[in-house]
Amino acid sequence: MKKEIQLLAISGSLREKSSNTTLMNAIIALAAEHVGFSVYSGLVELPHFNPDLDVEEGPAKVEELRKQLKEADGVLICTPEYGNGVPGSLKNALDWIVSSGEFVNKRVAVVTASPSPMGGDKANASLLLTLNMINAIIVDHGVVMIPHITLKMSKEGAITDEATKQQLLAMLASLEQPHSVE
C-alpha cells in the first residue's frame, strides 16, 4: 500500500462561487485514494504583509498558514487572474512565506483558470516567478492554464472537458509522488 500523501489546496479567489474554487474541489475529487487534501481557507483573514510584523511570533493567522504548509507534502494552487496578475490576497499570503521558508523544496502545482481565452497566463507566469524565488519545486505537468473554464465544467462543479480532465490527472499524478530532494 502506498504511503499517504498530504496536500494543501489553496484557491486564490475570495468569491463564494468562484470557478477556481469549484475547479480546485473537482481536482481534489480526482485524487488517488492514498492522497489526503486539506483546504486552506484563511486568505481573507491574513493581515496585510508588513515586514515589521514578520517576527518570531507573528500574527496568529500567518502562523496558521505556515503550520498548514509545513505539514503538507505538496501544495495545489488554483487561482484566477485579476488585472493581468495574481490576486492580491494570494500574493499577500505568499509574501508572508518569503522569509519563513515553508515553500523551500515543497512540491507545488499551479492551475490558473479563466473564462477568457488566455487562461490566466499572466497570473500563472507571475505566480511561477514568486514560487521559483522561494524555492518551491514545480512538479512535472504542474503548470496548467485553462481558458474558457465556464465551458469546461458543469453547473454542479464536474469537469466536463476530457482533455482538461486528462491534463489535471497528469498534474495530480506528479504532485502525488512521494517527496524527495535531490
Side-chain angles (χ1 to χ4, degrees):
M1 186 163 165
K2 288 187 176 182
K3 176 186 168 201
E4 178 83 11
I5 305 292
Q6 290 298 319
L7 301 176
L8 180 64
I10 302 171
S11 173
S13 178
L14 301 179
R15 287 183 54 228
E16 187 176 324
K17 296 190 187 265
S18 160
S19 56
N20 276 273
T21 301
T22 301
L23 175 62
M24 178 187 74
N25 290 325
I27 293 169
I28 290 170
L30 292 174
E33 273 187 40
H34 69 280
V35 177
F37 269 95
S38 298
V39 175
Y40 177 70
S41 58
L43 282 184
V44 72
E45 299 165 344
L46 286 175
H48 296 292
F49 175 69
N50 179 344
D52 291 338
L53 300 176
D54 195 8
V55 294
E56 180 98 14
E57 290 190 34
K61 294 298 181 182
V62 173
E63 293 306 313
E64 288 175 25
L65 170 61
R66 289 175 174 170
K67 181 179 186 289
Q68 287 186 38
L69 285 166
K70 283 178 193 171
E71 292 172 353
D73 297 311
V75 180
L76 167 65
I77 299 173
C78 291
T79 188
E81 179 176 280
Y82 292 162
N84 280 337
V86 176
S89 56
L90 178 58
K91 180 64 169 87
N92 182 57
L94 294 174
D95 287 344
W96 279 109
I97 305 305
V98 169
S99 66
S100 58
E102 287 79 14
F103 270 101
V104 173
N105 296 323
K106 185 76 65 178
R107 298 170 61 74
V108 179
V110 175
V111 178
T112 53
S114 173
S116 81
M118 302 308 288
D121 62 331
K122 291 171 186 61
N124 197 292
S126 179
L127 191 51
L128 290 174
L129 285 172
T130 301
L131 290 168
N132 284 320
M133 194 278 304
I134 57 179
N135 295 311
I137 298 170
I138 307 303
V139 298
D140 292 338
H141 311 290
V143 178
V144 179
M145 291 175 281
I146 305 173
H148 305 294
I149 187 61
T150 53
L151 302 177
K152 296 177 180 179
M153 295 190 72
S154 70
K155 291 183 186 208
E156 295 78 30
I159 300 165
T160 56
D161 181 72
E162 191 58 33
T164 299
K165 185 176 183 179
Q166 292 306 313
Q167 188 178 20
L168 293 170
L169 285 168
M171 176 208 63
L172 268 175
S174 289
L175 192 59
E176 293 169 355
Q177 296 303 308
H179 179 76
S180 66
V181 179
E182 293 150 15

